[in-house]
Structures are given as C-alpha cells and as structure tokens.
Amino acid sequence: MNGFGQAHKKPIPILFSLVQDRIELDLLDTIQVESNSWIVSTCRFYISNIQFLNKGSVVWTEENSYHLVELSFTGRDSVLMELPNSFDYDELLFSLGIDSATNVAGVMGGDLDPTKGMYWTWQSGYINVKIEGISSACDSRNHAFQYHLGGYKYPYPTIQKIHVSTQPGQSIHLGFDVKSFFSKLNINHTCNVMSPGILSQQLSVQAGMSFLLIENE
Amino acid sequence: MSKKGGIIWIIIGFMALSVGYHRNINMVELHYPANWPAPEYDFKRNPLTKEGIELGRKLFYDPLLSKDNSISCSSCHLSFTAFTHVDHSLSHGIEDRIGTRNSPVLMNLAWNKSFMWDGAIHHIDVQALAPITHPSEMGSDIATVVNKLQETEGYPALFYQAFSDSNITGELVLKAIAQFQLTLISSNSKYDQVMRGQEGIYFSEQEEKGYTLFKNHCNSCHKEPLFTSGEFANNGLPVDTTLNDFGRMRITLQSQDSLKFKIPTLRNIEYSYPYMHDGRFKTLHQVLNHYNHGIMDSPTLDPSLKRPFKLTENDKVDLVAFLLTLTDKSFLFNPDFSYPKN
C-alpha cells in the first residue's frame, strides 16, 4: 500500500521528445520530407494504461493512468512512474490515446479535464493526438495542417498500443518521429482531420508507428 | 495487513469523516415514480448535493458562459416552456447568430442514453461543452469560462462549498451544471396522476380516446413512461435542403442512420413548440397531419410508419387532448428550477 513501502520504490521517468531521424528537434525546426517542408507548432497526445511486463506477464500497472504529453513548448516532456525496486521487467506497454470506457464515463479532471483542449465539444470523445503546424504540402488557408486524431466507436477506433523493450537500469527515452509521420501521409492527403472516421484511424496508426526508442548516448 | 496498518486506516477514516461534516455537505436523492426504469446516469461519479445543484443552477442562468456575456443556457432553455425555446424554429445565440437545430426540452435527463438530436453527446457531464463552444450559440470555450469564473468574487467560494475546492476546473463546472440539470424531473402531469390512480383524477372521454389512439399509433417510439425510447428514428420528414441535416448518420458514419433523429419525449409537449429537430411544425395539428399524409418513404424510414395513420379530424382532436394531459405544471413552474433569486 502507498505510504508504507516508500523506501523500496524507484522513480522511472519516461521521457518523450520530438525527433526527426532520431535527433531531437526544437519546435519550429523545419522538417524536410522530399520536396515539402513541415513546421510543427503544436504536438500533444495522451498516453494511458501504462504497464510494465516481464516475460510477457504484467508485473505493474499504473493506477488512474492518463497523461497528457505536451511537446508543444520545449519539444520534451516526461512522465514519472514509481515501481517497486524488486520488480524485474523487459517491456513497457502503454496506449496512445484514451480507452473507450473512459471516453464514455463522463467528464474527468486532471490531465483529462476538457480545459486541456483535448476533448471534442461537438461530439463526445477525447482527441488522442493533436499535431498542428504549417507545410508547403498544404494549400489550405495559411498552409496550415491540423490533425486532431480520435474516436473510440466501431468501426473506427483509434487507440494504439505501443510496446517498448527496456529493462531496469535503462533510461526510457521515446522519440515521436514527426518526419516519419509526415512521410507516411498520402500524397493526396487532406491537411485537416478533425473528426472520427477512417482518416483519423489511418493517421492514428501512423502516429503509433512513429514512436521509437532513443538509445542511451 | 498488519494490526498497526489497520488502526492507522481507522484514524484516517475518522479524519475524513470529520472533514466532511465540517464542510456541511447536503446529499440529495432524486425521487421518481416507482414504475420508471433505473436512471442511466452513474451518480457515484457525481453525487448530487444541495450545494452542487445550487451552483449548477447559478451557472445555468449565467450569461458569463458566453463570449460576450449575453447568452446563458436559459436563453435557449427556458424553465416555463419545458426548458426549450418557443417560437423559434432554430435558436439564436450570441450576436443573433442562428443555429441549425431546434432547441430540445430538458427533462428527465438522468434517463437519457444520449444527448442532442443526433446523439453526438453521450454523457450529460460533457454536453454543456457543445453550446459553450458553438460559434452560433455561446461562442466561448471551457478554459475561458473557467478563467472568468475564477476571477469573480462569488464563484470560488461556491465551488469550495460544493466540491471542497475553490480552484475551479472544467470538470467541476460541468459536473455542477449536470447536477442541476439532473434534478429537472417531470412526473406529475395529469397523465401521471391518472396512472397512479390519484383520487378524483380521471381522463375525460376525449382524453381516454386519445390515449387509446396514442397506444395504437405512437407508443412504439414514444414509449411510456418517459414517452421516448431514447432511440433514433427516421419519422419520414423530407430533408430541408436549406439545412441538409441527415441526423445520426453524421455521428455514426453509417448510411442506415441517414435521416434518423433522437425520439424526443412528449411530456410537456403543449409547451415545447415548434416541433421536430428543425422546428418545422408550429402546432400539434401540423404534426399529426404529417403522420397522416406527409411521411416521405426512404430506406431508413421507421418500420412503424410504413403505413400512414388514418386519423379522422375527431381522432386528431382526441389525440391532442391526450397529449395535453402530459403537461406538468408543477415542473414548469417549480421555483427550484427557475431563475435563482440570490
């Protein structure tokens, strides 16, 4: 129970960074994808249901596991876990986005508070991933792109499971590779995805695949 | 668990109780007829308290929630007219902007399975986000509302009383508004009194005939006792090409939901004109004429409407007489629901 085993816990930060080609980006750096350039002005997403596993079995689950990772200011954010010292693990598992049960449970607080700007007002549900900026690939107003990815209902759920190989003693530094995300966008893609549906689902899969583990330097 | 651990939990429990008493919280239980189904709302997530309800009522009537401080929830949801906006087919918000749908009534919301004409909102706690943010309604956003409330003289203390926290959040604003709305129960119409067998209250001959007609034609969608099944249906309204509103399909993206809208309750229907999702019918007589000969067939038309009603003029009068028995004056004029005096 909390409070009685404090001496036996260790804090494990999960660090997130905006990257391209495994190198950390400053927000507003230009990202070149073939002949198009992209600049990210907003990047934030929810991660949830964080678990550590050992040999395929769950050894630790975070309670009330919902975190809004905000990469829009410094390009970096971290989430702190506190695992008991005695645990061995070889895998970190979390969801990119909010599970459907939480989506229908009503209004929540903390990182899930609707004032965070990650909850659709005209249709219920969380925005799992928000990426905004400008790109020469967009002939929208001001060349702006807005990807607000979410939706939990059949047939277009968007939550993604992310697996990371790791072990005690190793720092966990995850890069969100925006260049990889933009590279996978269809040449005739739309620059605005702001509601649940097939596009939101496709882009969510791409976002999930854009996470990579940055090795210790 | 060790004995020492057990004793510490008892002490912590005691301290928690005393903090509760110190705050003087008054739990409220909702009362509703015994033959109603259990509410859909999970009150454990947002227990009703006198303080929460009062705060919610104050917020409901406060135009501070809108961009220019001119529009409150009550602007489109007036208590005396079943919490809807009469005489307006489509409601207007800030700067006289006109919206795209008719304002629905607010009553018996704890039994709703979804909210809005297309069920876009699935939980009452998050419903207020839609009008607060819509550019033709209140034109604001929840973060701005929270900031404005925090800067007032009175609200932080009211939030403290209701939630033990003078630090206002989006979650607390929405939960307070929900608490007030959940108390809006209408269950004391003449119909209810007759059903309860209340002494001296009987349907007139006309009303009785109307009730029979109702059970024969309307009950599959407008199910008693809530007078709605809460489901979505296409009731044969031809699409208004100035609005091109296809209803539920926009939310589910499924073609079988085209032109389906949420079946509204018929309670207090006398007071909630004009009717339908776009307010196209001003009178109940027009509604009945639609069901008689105005239904447009389509692949998604509700099966119960495949054959038009064959109501005679007398039938229509009787049916309307019955519908008027669904008026509940104790709801419409309940001082606990109207503009707060303080």
Side-chain angles (χ1 to χ4, degrees):
Chain A
M1 301 290 255
N2 265 347
F4 298 108
Q6 267 165 340
H8 307 290
K9 286 212 176 127
K10 67 180 167 212
I12 300 179
I14 306 174
L15 179 63
F16 290 91
S17 293
L18 213 54
V19 303
Q20 70 167 324
D21 297 329
R22 309 193 93 88
I23 298 171
E24 278 183 290
L25 276 179
D26 281 328
L27 209 66
L28 303 184
D29 276 356
T30 303
I31 301 154
Q32 204 65 31
V33 176
E34 290 172 16
S35 58
N36 282 311
S37 49
W38 299 76
I39 295 179
V40 175
S41 59
T42 299
C43 179
R44 67 171 80 103
F45 47 84
Y46 277 116
I47 66 167
S48 65
N49 292 322
I50 298 172
Q51 295 182 309
F52 281 85
L53 286 77
N54 199 38
K55 300 193 190 15
S57 296
V58 175
V59 294
W60 186 80
T61 302
E62 189 191 25
E63 271 187 44
N64 290 323
S65 184
Y66 309 103
H67 303 273
L68 181 58
V69 175
E70 176 67 274
L71 301 180
S72 304
F73 302 110
T74 61
R76 276 183 160 224
D77 200 358
S78 63
V79 170
L80 201 67
M81 304 286 110
E82 291 199 40
L83 265 68
N85 250 333
S86 52
F87 281 178
D88 208 2
Y89 55 85
D90 58 21
E91 187 184 345
L92 163 69
L93 176 62
F94 63 89
S95 294
L96 175 66
I98 303 295
D99 58 276
S100 57
T102 306
N103 262 289
V104 301
V107 72
M108 315 265 175
D111 273 7
L112 296 174
D113 195 293
T115 51
K116 303 289 181 186
M118 295 291 281
Y119 194 91
W120 272 309
T121 57
W122 59 275
Q123 177 177 290
S124 298
Y126 281 98
I127 300 169
N128 294 330
V129 178
K130 213 183 234 193
I131 308 177
E132 295 174 342
I134 56 178
S135 171
S136 59
C138 290
D139 51 17
S140 50
R141 178 172 173 263
N142 293 333
H143 301 285
F145 62 86
Q146 293 174 287
Y147 298 119
H148 299 179
L149 310 178
Y152 60 94
K153 284 203 262 248
Y154 175 86
Y156 302 120
T158 53
I159 194 170
Q160 303 295 314
K161 279 266 183 236
I162 315 268
H163 299 259
V164 180
S165 292
T166 182
Q167 60 198 353
Q170 209 174 57
S171 68
I172 307 176
H173 187 180
L174 295 172
F176 181 65
D177 190 337
V178 275
K179 179 171 176 175
S180 164
F181 177 76
F182 296 135
S183 311
K184 294 192 182 77
L185 291 172
N186 264 328
I187 203 73
N188 294 320
H189 69 273
T190 175
C191 284
N192 281 311
V193 177
M194 297 171 81
S195 55
I198 193 158
L199 276 180
S200 194
Q201 188 181 55
Q202 285 172 353
L203 292 181
S204 298
V205 170
Q206 281 162 214
M209 295 197 303
S210 303
F211 282 89
L212 45 85
L213 189 61
I214 297 176
E215 304 298 329
N216 284 337
E217 271 84 280
Chain B
M1 175 145 347
S2 71
K3 189 169 175 200
K4 181 181 172 200
I7 289 172
I8 290 181
W9 280 116
I10 291 170
I11 294 171
I12 291 172
F14 226 85
M15 285 164 57
L17 267 179
S18 58
V19 167
Y21 280 124
H22 202 81
R23 195 159 59 91
N24 265 342
I25 209 73
N26 295 296
M27 303 296 299
V28 166
E29 217 181 282
L30 274 190
H31 294 289
Y32 53 91
N35 69 325
W36 281 23
E40 296 283 331
Y41 190 79
D42 180 4
F43 288 97
K44 289 193 295 300
R45 300 195 75 101
N46 186 15
L48 297 186
T49 66
K50 181 164 164 293
E51 293 74 17
I53 293 164
E54 277 313 301
L55 171 56
R57 173 157 82 143
K58 203 171 151 76
L59 291 166
F60 187 90
Y61 284 97
D62 198 335
L64 174 150
L65 268 59
S66 64
K67 177 178 172 188
D68 60 1
N69 302 321
S70 69
I71 301 287
S72 69
C73 310
S74 66
S75 303
C76 294
H77 296 285
L78 180 64
S79 61
F80 309 115
T81 55
F83 283 92
T84 182
H85 199 184
V86 295
D87 256 0
H88 289 79
S89 55
L90 306 173
S91 293
H92 54 81
I94 57 167
E95 298 169 13
D96 282 353
R97 297 177 193 172
I98 310 258
T100 54
R101 292 216 178 119
N102 183 259
S103 151
V105 297
L106 303 183
M107 70 185 82
N108 305 331
L109 296 169
W111 285 264
N112 271 34
K113 301 179 219 178
S114 66
F115 301 85
M116 315 295 265
W117 282 106
D118 53 14
I121 311 286
H122 61 288
H123 199 287
I124 195 179
D125 286 359
V126 292
Q127 189 280 336
L129 286 172
I132 285 173
T133 318
H134 197 294
S136 299
E137 298 183 34
M138 292 161 122
S140 184
D141 65 87
I142 189 68
T144 301
V145 168
V146 164
N147 289 338
K148 280 161 97 171
L149 291 171
Q150 194 75 67
E151 278 166 30
T152 62
E153 275 211 24
Y155 273 110
L158 295 176
F159 274 87
Y160 181 77
Q161 270 175 42
F163 298 113
S164 278
D165 202 344
S166 56
N167 196 25
I168 303 173
T169 64
E171 178 193 10
L172 297 182
V173 170
L174 294 169
K175 280 186 167 168
I177 295 175
Q179 283 199 30
F180 168 65
Q181 292 187 92
L182 289 163
T183 65
L184 307 177
I185 295 188
S186 177
S187 61
N188 198 31
S189 61
K190 178 173 180 178
Y191 160 86
D192 293 302
Q193 292 165 3
V194 170
M195 292 296 125
R196 282 200 285 269
Q198 204 162 304
E199 179 134 2
I201 315 279
Y202 306 102
F203 280 145
S204 67
E205 195 185 316
Q206 242 184 3
E207 291 163 354
E208 193 66 63
K209 284 192 190 151
Y211 186 34
T212 304
L213 286 163
F214 171 83
K215 284 187 283 195
N216 288 339
H217 294 283
C218 321
N219 213 359
S220 58
C221 290
H222 295 284
K223 280 188 169 49
E224 302 165 80
L226 296 167
F227 287 87
T228 170
S229 62
E231 302 299 327
F232 300 90
N234 176 354
N235 68 340
L237 295 169
V239 105
D240 179 334
T241 53
T242 66
L243 295 171
N244 280 330
D245 189 345
F246 288 85
R248 183 84 179 134
M249 185 170 75
R250 186 180 78 127
I251 303 304
T252 62
L253 306 172
Q254 316 264 0
S255 58
Q256 65 252 37
D257 287 331
S258 175
L259 295 176
K260 287 189 184 172
F261 293 88
K262 189 145 61 86
I263 298 162
T265 180
L266 299 181
R267 287 177 170 277
N268 294 298
I269 196 89
E270 177 182 3
Y271 280 87
S272 61
Y273 57 93
Y275 306 106
M276 304 297 162
H277 63 274
D278 53 10
R280 65 178 68 184
F281 296 134
K282 289 195 172 60
T283 67
L284 288 174
H285 222 77
Q286 287 174 339
V287 171
L288 297 184
N289 284 341
H290 164 76
Y291 284 113
N292 247 10
H293 49 70
I295 291 179
M296 197 186 78
D297 197 5
S298 77
T300 61
L301 179 67
D302 197 272
S304 65
L305 298 175
K306 284 292 184 189
R307 279 176 302 123
F309 303 170
K310 284 189 164 67
L311 302 170
T312 65
E313 283 311 306
N314 277 342
D315 287 341
K316 290 182 208 168
V317 170
D318 292 342
L319 191 40
V320 170
F322 167 71
L323 292 175
L324 298 186
T325 69
L326 301 179
T327 298
D328 176 359
K329 294 229 153 91
S330 69
F331 168 78
L332 298 167
F333 301 112
N334 188 334
D336 289 342
F337 298 160
S338 58
Y339 192 89
K341 304 266 191 294
N342 50 327

